[in-house]
Amino acid sequence: MSVVTFISHDGEKYETPLEEGVSLMQVAVDNMVPGIDGDCGGEAACGTCHVVVEDGWIDQVGRSGPVEEEMLAMNPEREPNSRLSCQMRLSDSLGGLVVRLPEFQL
Amino acid sequence: MTTLTTVTDAMTERAQSIVPMSMQIRGAHLYDRARRFVTRTNGQKIFVEKPIPPVEEVALVDIDLSNPFLYRQGKWQSYFERVRNEAPVHFQANSPFGPFWSVTRHADIIAVDKDHETFSAEPFIIIGEPPRFMDVAMFIAMDPPKHDRQRAAVQGVVAPKNLREMESLIRSRVQEVLDDLPIGEPFNWVDRVSIELTARMLATLLDFPYEQRRKLVEWSDLASSMEQANGGPSDNDEVFRGFVDAAQGLSALWRDKEARLAGGEEPGFDLITMLQRNEDTKDLIDRPMEFLGNLVLLIVGGNDTTRNSMSGGILAMNRFPDQFEKLKANPDLIPNAVSEIIRWQTPLAYMRRVAKKDTVLNGQFIRKGDKVVMWYASGNRDERVFDRPDDLIIDRSNARNHISFGFGVHRCMGNRLAEMQLKILWEELLPRFEKIEVVEEPEYVQSNFVRGISRLMVTLTPKTQA
């Protein structure tokens, strides 16, 4: 079975099963990964599911789109590979994906 | 140009920018007085409190959710429930603030809040408008890209690094305030705890003279209680005098910080220093209405909201005593309880938008130029999203989906600070007090915007040391 991995700010690893067609935020919430809030429920309207995609994966995952960017742009902690995980739909090709979690969601 | 002329130029500029700001406000005051005399409305209140009838006795089209007494009279729940179910996007054609749409369901509110291309936050986010020529500019009422630039300048004050530094300071202030409270005798929680703690926090965020911190509260209360803006009780003469005072006090603060920075002092992490060190806002003081607007925004933003969540939490735990028992038995629930309290209280009832083009929302045709009010207080009680929405349930699984902080580019920038303040308050309350009993019916603020508690008499029972 394919998995995705979240790495917390202090280095803790959380592996969850990859669910095809579901957003990465939803997978994190369903598996109780700490550090992903998802306050707006997946509307790219709160910025509380911020993740930073590991370098090797960014081309496959793609960079943030304009709507996501409106929320990310206000975040002082954002990095070039920052994404809102509610806007990342999972597919089998993303098996093994690794993302890092920021220290706080804003 | 010689150094000397640069210095004198700077001094002239400095002198001028203090004078015009208060002059400008005095001019607006004069205009407003003349208007009141000419229209013979001087001394007349726009809003006089009358008992609000039960919602069943009112025709749907006559329901006016802008009535500033709806919350105080405890009628808001039934009114919003009916509108949510019978006309979720509701039009009121003849309110004292003119015609406006009400958006009352959770999903519709998110749709409007997200869509700044269709729904503009300009020029004001309250249903009415401030007095003429007092139209201060604040980034909460600006659209991108101007909004983004001004907000970016101050966002750093609540960045994680700063929050970490503030945590122990907040905790020690909470401890000081709580250790000083009377035991076994009734006192006003709003004044002794909610106002006092938020005033201390604001003075810290602004690096404002600590002993004068209640001035910040006074200015904030005046700014958020203007009658023609949101049905508040403030008299316009008081408002203008308060604004002159605020303009002078805040300019003096700005100039003092500037001089200290120029004198080689280490830059602080306060809001003023941040504004002064940012390209887009370093000359903010030369744009008086923007200067005043943005500082007042930050003060109001950190004042009414947190204050009323601090009071509302105590009230809610008294209305639902089993939840207080649950929290005492399991303090790990504090973070979720904080979200639930913010949902239950919803300290700001709404934000207003104006349609920038014709559009359709949940089946209703909204015309370009129409006012659209997103009722957060209603979205937070939407039975489609929250089970038993009127109850406080501190372990509610979707408490975080509350809408009190707004969504989209205007989402509350102080949300994490607010949550941290409330979390620390409850962490410090639980080990100290066995009971926090509300002993009289609370008194509520007159406003359609601020859902405020003005008086909450409580009696404390300390925990017996085991």
Side-chain angles (χ1 to χ4, degrees):
Chain A
M1 188 182 58
S2 312
V3 294
V4 290
T5 305
F6 298 83
I7 304 175
S8 77
H9 191 256
D10 44 21
E12 199 83 34
K13 279 190 182 158
Y14 301 91
E15 235 174 51
T16 69
L18 182 153
E19 261 183 88
E20 225 184 330
V22 170
S23 78
L24 183 64
M25 180 277 282
Q26 201 56 51
V27 163
V29 170
D30 292 347
N31 291 282
M32 297 201 289
V33 174
I36 296 279
D37 294 334
D39 289 358
C40 73
E43 302 275 342
C46 68
T48 65
C49 64
H50 176 201
V51 298
V52 180
V53 177
E54 281 280 273
D55 271 334
W57 283 98
I58 193 68
D59 288 336
Q60 254 156 294
V61 170
R63 292 195 188 267
S64 56
V67 178
E68 247 174 290
E69 205 47 47
E70 291 191 342
M71 298 311 297
L72 285 172
M74 296 191 291
N75 192 330
E77 310 282 286
R78 75 103 18 105
E79 292 181 32
N81 288 0
S82 283
R83 292 287 315 262
L84 294 183
S85 55
C86 71
Q87 302 302 304
M88 297 165 64
R89 200 131 318 264
L90 291 175
S91 63
D92 268 344
S93 64
L94 294 178
L97 170 69
V98 181
V99 298
R100 283 180 290 118
L101 297 168
E103 186 174 3
F104 290 104
Q105 295 291 348
L106 289 182
Chain B
M1 197 187 276
T2 66
T3 321
L4 186 64
T5 52
T6 319
V7 171
T8 38
D9 278 357
M11 282 169 69
T12 323
E13 228 181 78
R14 175 173 305 190
Q16 277 172 351
S17 57
I18 294 176
V19 180
M21 202 181 316
S22 37
M23 289 283 279
Q24 207 164 325
I25 300 166
R26 289 205 176 96
H29 191 179
L30 224 57
Y31 170 86
D32 190 68
R33 283 229 302 258
R35 173 190 64 81
R36 280 178 276 149
F37 278 103
V38 170
T39 58
R40 302 193 182 196
T41 52
N42 196 38
Q44 273 179 28
K45 289 269 167 206
I46 308 173
F47 297 98
V48 179
E49 183 157 11
K50 288 189 226 92
I52 298 170
V55 69
E56 307 78 42
E57 293 173 14
V58 183
L60 204 51
V61 292
D62 293 329
I63 288 180
D64 180 4
L65 297 171
S66 74
N67 186 321
F69 306 107
L70 209 51
Y71 177 59
R72 173 188 283 178
Q73 293 187 20
K75 291 286 201 302
W76 66 278
Q77 274 169 253
S78 56
Y79 271 70
F80 278 109
E81 188 183 344
R82 176 157 173 219
V83 174
R84 258 195 324 270
N85 291 325
E86 295 179 23
V89 178
H90 171 266
F91 190 64
Q92 160 56 249
N94 312 300
S95 90
F97 303 97
F100 70 94
W101 291 94
S102 285
V103 185
T104 58
R105 285 189 189 167
H106 193 274
D108 292 340
I109 292 170
I110 294 187
V112 174
D113 225 350
K114 266 179 71 170
D115 187 1
H116 62 80
E117 299 281 343
T118 309
F119 300 101
S120 169
E122 298 177 5
F124 304 112
I125 50 84
I126 28 88
I127 299 186
E129 49 190 49
R132 192 96 203 275
F133 304 120
M134 271 295 287
D135 26 16
V136 293
M138 32 182 82
F139 64 80
I140 195 172
M142 287 175 195
D143 293 330
K146 194 173 184 198
H147 158 269
D148 304 1
R149 288 198 297 271
Q150 296 208 352
R151 174 166 166 152
V154 290
Q155 180 91 49
V157 78
V158 287
K161 181 164 67 83
N162 248 15
L163 286 184
R164 256 196 320 275
E165 285 183 26
M166 279 188 261
E167 177 154 10
S168 58
L169 181 67
I170 295 174
R171 191 175 299 279
S172 63
R173 291 196 169 155
V174 169
Q175 289 166 343
E176 282 160 32
V177 167
L178 296 185
D179 288 339
D180 214 27
L181 294 176
I183 298 293
E185 58 175 272
F187 67 94
N188 184 2
W189 178 271
V190 174
D191 188 62
R192 294 289 298 264
V193 181
S194 311
I195 294 183
E196 188 50 35
L197 279 177
T198 39
R200 288 180 188 208
M201 200 58 235
L202 274 176
T204 306
L205 285 179
L206 288 164
D207 197 14
F208 190 78
Y210 197 59
E211 62 293 348
Q212 290 178 43
R213 60 188 179 273
R214 287 275 174 145
K215 282 223 167 243
L216 297 171
V217 176
E218 194 187 306
W219 298 335
S220 169
D221 285 353
L222 283 173
S224 62
S225 63
M226 290 186 253
E227 201 179 20
Q228 65 199 75
N230 57 37
S234 288
D235 170 78
N236 269 4
D237 289 321
E238 269 174 77
V239 170
F240 282 111
R241 273 193 291 270
F243 266 81
V244 170
D245 195 32
Q248 286 169 340
L250 294 169
S251 308
L253 175 68
W254 180 282
R255 294 309 184 192
D256 175 60
K257 298 289 294 181
E258 213 169 40
R260 277 154 56 191
L261 204 62
E265 201 173 284
E266 272 298 299
F269 287 100
D270 59 277
L271 281 164
I272 305 286
T273 305
M274 287 194 173
L275 289 167
Q276 287 175 348
R277 284 162 60 88
N278 183 292
E279 257 325 290
D280 288 308
T281 49
K282 67 178 171 29
D283 301 319
L284 193 63
I285 196 152
D286 301 330
R287 306 192 293 274
M289 285 296 148
E290 229 175 278
F291 170 80
L292 198 56
N294 280 327
L295 285 180
V296 167
L297 167 64
L298 295 166
I299 295 170
V300 174
N303 186 44
D304 272 318
T305 50
T306 322
R307 176 203 303 177
N308 290 311
S309 301
M310 288 178 172
S311 307
I314 297 297
L315 181 61
M317 293 291 180
N318 272 264
R319 297 275 195 256
F320 302 94
D322 57 316
Q323 300 299 308
F324 188 45
E325 294 308 318
K326 202 193 280 177
L327 190 62
K328 283 196 290 188
N330 184 4
D332 288 346
L333 287 172
I334 288 177
N336 204 67
V338 163
S339 292
E340 175 66 352
I341 288 167
I342 296 171
R343 181 192 73 86
W344 190 85
Q345 180 62 29
T346 320
L348 295 183
Y350 65 84
M351 288 287 154
R352 182 254 268 197
R353 300 289 183 256
V354 173
K356 282 204 274 194
K357 51 189 176 206
D358 291 355
T359 188
V360 175
L361 180 68
N362 200 346
Q364 295 296 319
F365 180 72
I366 294 175
R367 269 182 204 287
K368 179 179 175 181
D370 285 358
K371 284 185 189 178
V372 178
V373 179
M374 303 175 284
W375 290 99
Y376 295 157
S378 173
N380 276 339
R381 300 295 176 99
D382 189 344
E383 34 298 271
R384 287 149 202 83
V385 176
F386 301 106
D387 191 31
R388 288 158 57 206
D390 294 329
D391 294 1
L392 182 88
I393 304 173
I394 60 166
D395 48 359
R396 189 186 280 286
S397 66
N398 64 350
R400 291 208 62 93
N401 293 145
H402 74 72
I403 218 160
S404 308
F405 292 134
F407 286 120
V409 297
H410 291 288
R411 185 170 166 84
C412 174
M413 74 171 239
N415 57 348
R416 297 300 172 186
L417 178 61
E419 287 173 349
M420 188 164 90
Q421 285 180 273
L422 291 166
K423 177 178 85 82
I424 293 173
L425 175 63
W426 285 98
E427 282 170 358
E428 295 298 324
L429 282 173
L430 292 183
R432 280 180 176 73
F433 306 115
E434 188 56 39
K435 277 200 282 185
I436 308 169
E437 234 173 323
V438 174
V439 293
E440 283 174 26
E441 267 309 293
E443 286 173 18
Y444 297 97
V445 169
Q446 170 189 332
S447 174
N448 61 31
F449 181 61
V450 175
R451 288 161 47 90
I453 300 166
S454 48
R455 188 178 139 97
L456 186 69
M457 297 303 290
V458 307
T459 303
L460 299 173
T461 310
K463 260 203 146 62
T464 40
Q465 300 298 324

